[in-house]
Amino acid sequence: MLASMRGFVRQKTPMRRSLSDEALADFEAAVDWYLDELAITAAEDIASEVEQTIRLIESFPNAGIKAPYKTHVFTLSKFLCRLVYRAEPDHVRIIAVAHQRRKPRFWRDRT
């Protein structure tokens, strides 16, 4: 039986995930920024929210807003960051963890 979330169809089994090297570097830079500011709780919170969002995207790959370059964008609820990803037939590919104040679409050439 298929479950739904606000009109989105849940995958029968969550999709696999992959992160580009650049997306991993974006994520690490975001966490490191909070650690450098001695905001340990915020660093833990952004790491947790990114992980929870990826799990949500694995179950609901079309939950993000459709964006150019065959991507989807999902905005984190507590931070000024977005996950940019592609929903492939058999997996979700995270291509950027984009701070909203960075140059728009800086990630467009990523795979």
Side-chain angles (χ1 to χ4, degrees):
M1 183 171 142
L2 297 175
S4 66
M5 178 191 93
R6 294 188 217 154
F8 296 106
V9 176
R10 178 188 296 265
Q11 295 293 116
K12 290 182 181 179
T13 59
M15 297 179 85
R16 292 181 307 114
R17 74 173 80 173
S18 65
L19 274 78
S20 69
D21 292 340
E22 297 96 336
L24 183 57
D26 294 341
F27 169 72
E28 290 172 346
V31 171
D32 287 346
W33 186 87
Y34 285 106
L35 292 174
D36 289 345
E37 296 294 315
L38 300 178
I40 308 303
T41 301
E44 292 170 347
D45 288 349
I46 194 169
S48 177
E49 187 166 359
V50 166
E51 177 61 31
Q52 290 173 2
T53 302
I54 291 172
R55 283 192 203 137
L56 177 71
I57 291 168
E58 288 171 334
S59 293
F60 298 96
N62 293 315
I65 297 169
K66 287 187 179 182
Y69 312 104
K70 299 181 182 180
T71 62
H72 290 79
V73 176
F74 198 101
T75 303
L76 301 182
S77 62
K78 297 178 188 173
F79 296 90
L80 293 175
C81 288
R82 298 177 175 136
L83 292 185
V84 181
Y85 67 97
R86 289 190 177 98
E88 303 292 344
D90 62 342
H91 72 283
V92 172
R93 175 80 169 163
I94 310 299
I95 59 171
V97 179
H99 193 280
Q100 292 179 24
R101 293 193 178 152
R102 276 188 84 171
K103 181 180 173 184
R105 298 188 184 123
F106 69 91
W107 43 262
R108 71 177 169 256
D109 295 326
R110 294 182 178 181
T111 56

